[in-house]
Amino acid sequence: MTVPQSFTPREIVTQLDKYIIGQEDAKRFVAVALRNRWRRQQVEPPLRDEIAPKNIIMIGPTGVGKTEIARRLAYLAQSPFLKIEASKFTEVGYVGRDVESMIRDLTQLAVNMVKKEESTEVEEKAIVMAEERLLDLLVPPSPTSFSTTPALPAGDNQETDSQIDSTREKFRKMLRAGKLDNRIVEMSIDQSQSMPIVEIFSNSGMDDMGSSMKDMFGKMFPKKQQRRKIKVDEAIKILQKEEAEKLIDMEKVTKLAIRRTEQSGIIFLDEIDKIASRQGVAQGAEISREGVQRDLLPIVEGATVTTKYGMVKTDHILFIASGAFHLCKPSDLVPELQGRFPIRVELNALGEDEFFRILTEPKNALIKQYTALMATENIDLVFEEEAIRAMAKIAADVNQKTENIGARRLHTVIERLLEELSFHAPDMERQTFTVTSEYVRDQLAEISENEDLSRYIL
């Protein structure tokens, strides 16, 4: 589905409602943030560059929809989107990922996105060119066109060429009809040369050194060709991909990708609370966390990062951070970083009513997923409403007794509930299997009532 970037906030919330239950405040804030990207593009250039993105911090326990909101938002915007955990970064000078690597990753995603779009545009032409190359393998061209041996009499030449053309057209029709799919052809395939690179660097700019050096040496030396015998249906796909790559202007792709990264890129920083300062923690750990925040600050404020595709400015990339903030609070972040996240929204914990809605209402609801999975085994899976309510109640009770992991608890509950059916389904005859409230209690009651079992099983 192609979704226009000019969606109004109300329309964006409507789209998010199809997949996310509750959390109305968070939906409204991210909808306005996305709409502001479009609004900025309508402003005249001198002022446009001064309008900074309104970055967001989403605060709430695990499993309440923080990641899902950001992911669906990126899908609606058709923008390069990168989800990454803040805890994976380390301060410059230490072994680990540097914060600039997220911009390089986002740029690579944008390049792949634009390249895919360009491939779609040249697809028809690439198919025709690939078809001609494949016919050259199946029906070699007339040798008279390039032979240095004495030519045959003119009449014989014309007759031979006509026969080859006629045969070629017959093969073309058979190829398009799929009658040659299982035929074997021998062709040359490019083999990318893998260069063994010892990773002795781990700091800024070194994350993509391997791929950059491969690109550099790939241009200096010809690609290695390998002769392989493959089926026609596989060969046409390989040839189509090769022809599409020849038709794509990579310089144009790179420029578009960098612009898309700079103007509409979205980075979702999960677990940002893990790099916040905490009281009562060893001094060394505190310094390291604060060091990551200091390194992150210029990226969020606006910096220029070197990638293998060129320089990328981060001034207008939208950053959405999230964290549970159980052991700390947003004010524990360094003041400068707090100022770069002006919008803060708190997501509510989920209860029994929300779990019931999550199981039934979204377009990708778990009930719908498992019904479709069992249908592949000729089992018509039916859930009674009381059974779904019983599942929601058990999930909410277990969350209260043990660790509260939000809606993720529903996955473990329904997996445990349908474990026996999933195992025996391939051996069962076609039938309708109805999940009742009694079946739910029989399968889950003992585990849900036993706190020790719940802790390790549910």
Side-chain angles (χ1 to χ4, degrees):
M1 174 176 81
T2 302
V3 183
Q5 297 188 21
S6 57
F7 260 26
T8 66
R10 189 182 302 278
E11 291 170 333
I12 294 170
V13 170
T14 300
Q15 292 293 324
L16 294 176
D17 284 340
K18 295 179 180 179
Y19 299 94
I20 301 155
I21 299 300
Q23 315 302 358
E24 301 304 326
D25 288 345
K27 291 176 187 175
R28 290 170 64 92
F29 277 117
V30 298
V32 171
L34 182 58
R35 180 66 177 186
N36 281 338
R37 311 296 292 277
W38 177 83
R39 288 168 177 161
R40 176 180 168 272
Q41 295 298 324
Q42 315 309 311
V43 177
E44 292 300 320
L47 184 58
R48 181 193 304 172
D49 296 336
E50 301 298 326
I51 301 175
K54 305 302 184 286
N55 299 323
I56 303 169
I57 289 184
M58 292 193 290
I59 306 165
T62 183
V64 296
K66 301 188 296 293
T67 303
E68 187 68 10
I69 287 174
R71 189 165 67 88
R72 295 293 172 183
L73 186 72
Y75 174 75
L76 288 173
Q78 297 290 293
S79 302
F81 173 77
L82 177 69
K83 176 187 177 294
I84 195 161
E85 295 178 5
S87 56
K88 292 189 179 296
F89 298 121
T90 60
E91 186 180 2
V92 171
Y94 292 85
V95 176
R97 300 202 72 188
D98 67 283
V99 293
E100 290 187 354
S101 65
M102 74 172 93
I103 305 301
R104 292 191 285 270
D105 292 344
L106 185 67
T107 306
Q108 183 64 60
L109 288 171
V111 168
N112 295 342
M113 182 184 294
V114 176
K115 190 175 179 181
K116 185 177 180 181
E117 293 171 1
E118 292 292 313
S119 297
T120 303
E121 291 185 5
V122 300
E123 183 177 7
E124 292 185 5
K125 191 172 181 180
I127 290 175
V128 173
M129 297 172 68
E131 187 179 86
E132 293 299 327
R133 285 182 60 184
L134 188 57
L135 287 173
D136 288 342
L137 297 174
L138 295 169
V139 187
S142 172
T144 59
S145 60
F146 52 82
S147 176
T148 57
T149 58
L152 295 172
D156 293 342
N157 276 340
Q158 293 174 0
E159 185 177 353
T160 303
D161 291 344
S162 177
Q163 290 174 349
I164 291 176
D165 290 342
S166 176
T167 304
R168 191 179 181 89
E169 289 305 313
K170 290 179 181 178
F171 270 79
R172 189 190 304 277
K173 292 178 181 179
M174 294 169 64
L175 177 63
R176 292 176 177 176
K179 296 179 180 179
L180 301 177
D181 286 353
N182 293 323
R183 186 160 182 167
I184 303 297
V185 294
E186 185 176 358
M187 58 182 288
S188 298
I189 299 177
D190 292 336
Q191 299 293 313
S192 58
Q193 301 182 36
S194 58
M195 296 180 53
I197 298 177
V198 180
E199 294 188 8
I200 57 174
F201 304 104
S202 62
N203 293 328
S204 178
M206 296 302 166
D207 284 340
D208 57 345
M209 173 176 279
S211 58
S212 298
M213 293 188 68
K214 287 179 183 178
D215 292 342
M216 180 180 67
F217 281 98
K219 296 175 181 177
M220 292 174 58
F221 301 104
K223 293 182 179 179
K224 185 185 294 183
Q225 298 283 325
Q226 181 182 7
R227 300 288 295 180
R228 284 182 54 194
K229 292 183 178 180
I230 56 178
K231 291 184 178 181
V232 166
D233 59 342
E234 182 182 353
I236 193 69
K237 294 177 183 177
I238 295 174
L239 293 174
Q240 183 181 340
K241 184 178 180 182
E242 290 181 0
E243 293 302 322
E245 289 181 353
K246 293 177 185 177
L247 294 171
I248 293 174
D249 183 355
M250 282 306 298
E251 184 176 350
K252 175 186 174 184
V253 167
T254 300
K255 288 181 180 179
L256 286 174
I258 290 177
R259 176 171 175 77
R260 189 172 296 186
T261 301
E262 293 177 339
Q263 301 300 322
S264 62
I266 300 175
I267 292 181
F268 182 69
L269 279 170
D270 200 7
E271 297 185 353
I272 197 170
D273 55 320
K274 300 295 192 301
I275 62 170
S277 302
R278 305 177 195 172
Q279 297 179 354
V281 183
Q283 189 68 19
E286 287 296 299
I287 294 173
S288 179
R289 291 192 184 95
E290 188 169 322
V292 175
Q293 294 181 59
R294 298 288 180 188
D295 292 342
L296 187 62
L297 180 61
I299 302 295
V300 180
E301 281 186 333
T304 301
V305 177
T306 303
T307 73
K308 68 178 182 179
Y309 298 105
M311 310 295 282
V312 176
K313 295 181 179 180
T314 67
D315 301 65
H316 300 290
I317 293 175
L318 177 64
F319 290 86
I320 302 176
S322 77
F325 289 96
H326 288 313
L327 304 176
C328 57
K329 50 189 180 298
S331 59
D332 290 328
L333 296 168
V334 295
E336 298 89 342
L337 191 59
Q338 292 181 48
R340 298 306 298 178
F341 288 88
I343 300 176
R344 299 179 188 177
V345 56
E346 187 169 355
L347 282 79
N348 303 317
L350 302 176
E352 182 179 337
D353 292 339
E354 289 81 10
F355 285 165
F356 176 79
R357 295 180 60 197
I358 289 171
L359 285 170
T360 56
E361 291 184 17
K363 291 182 67 175
N364 60 340
L366 285 176
I367 295 296
K368 299 175 183 176
Q369 293 180 28
Y370 279 86
T371 301
L373 287 174
M374 289 297 101
T376 63
E377 303 282 4
N378 294 320
I379 303 295
D380 297 324
L381 187 60
V382 178
F383 287 84
E384 291 184 352
E385 181 176 334
E386 290 304 315
I388 300 175
R389 293 196 180 277
M391 293 163 56
K393 185 177 188 310
I394 289 173
D397 291 344
V398 174
N399 274 346
Q400 289 181 352
K401 295 177 183 177
T402 60
E403 187 73 20
N404 188 347
I405 59 173
R408 292 188 176 93
R409 183 73 66 187
L410 295 173
H411 289 271
T412 54
V413 167
I414 197 168
E415 275 290 339
R416 186 71 182 178
L417 174 68
L418 300 177
E419 179 186 14
E420 187 174 348
L421 176 63
S422 296
F423 185 84
H424 293 291
D427 304 320
M428 298 168 63
E429 296 181 357
R430 185 179 186 90
Q431 61 177 278
T432 299
F433 188 93
T434 303
V435 178
T436 63
S437 57
E438 290 79 11
Y439 183 80
V440 172
R441 284 192 288 270
D442 291 343
Q443 295 294 318
L444 301 177
E446 181 181 355
I447 298 172
S448 62
E449 292 172 1
N450 189 318
E451 187 173 334
D452 292 332
L453 280 177
S454 298
R455 189 177 300 276
Y456 292 104
I457 297 178
L458 293 181

